[in-house]
Amino acid sequence: FTTQDVEGDDEQALEIGHYELFTSLPNGERECVDDGRYFVAWRRVDGAWRIYRDMFNRNTPISA
């Protein structure tokens, strides 16, 4: 996950970013098997930041 932007105040925040998912191949190399964008809505509850909502979208469609 790579955060690209965060906006908010003392009670709530919105994080937007990009993600990449890798797998390890038998030869030891890594291969990117998924990537896309995400957002997370955070809220402060009893002094701690908690995820309120999250969503992601893949950059490529799922192959058949």
Side-chain angles (χ1 to χ4, degrees), residues 4-15:
Q4 295 173 316
D5 188 32
V6 176
E7 291 185 21
D9 55 33
D10 292 340
E11 296 300 318
Q12 56 188 359
L14 180 62
E15 173 186 0

Side-chain angles (χ1 to χ4, degrees), residues 4-5 8 12 14 23 25 29 36 39 43 52 54 64:
Q4 295 173 316
D5 188 32
Q12 56 188 359
L14 180 62
T23 188
L25 300 174
E29 293 183 17
F39 87 84
R43 286 198 176 168
Y52 178 67
D54 69 331

Side-chain angles (χ1 to χ4, degrees), residues 11-15 39-45 48-55:
E11 296 300 318
Q12 56 188 359
L14 180 62
E15 173 186 0
F39 87 84
V40 179
W42 296 88
R43 286 198 176 168
R44 190 183 299 258
V45 177
W49 285 100
R50 307 283 185 191
I51 294 175
Y52 178 67
R53 299 274 193 269
D54 69 331
M55 188 172 112

Side-chain angles (χ1 to χ4, degrees), residues 21-48:
L21 178 64
F22 290 87
T23 188
S24 295
L25 300 174
N27 64 5
E29 293 183 17
R30 293 177 359 148
E31 178 181 25
C32 183
V33 294
D34 191 20
D35 69 305
R37 296 182 49 83
Y38 72 91
F39 87 84
V40 179
W42 296 88
R43 286 198 176 168
R44 190 183 299 258
V45 177
D46 297 328

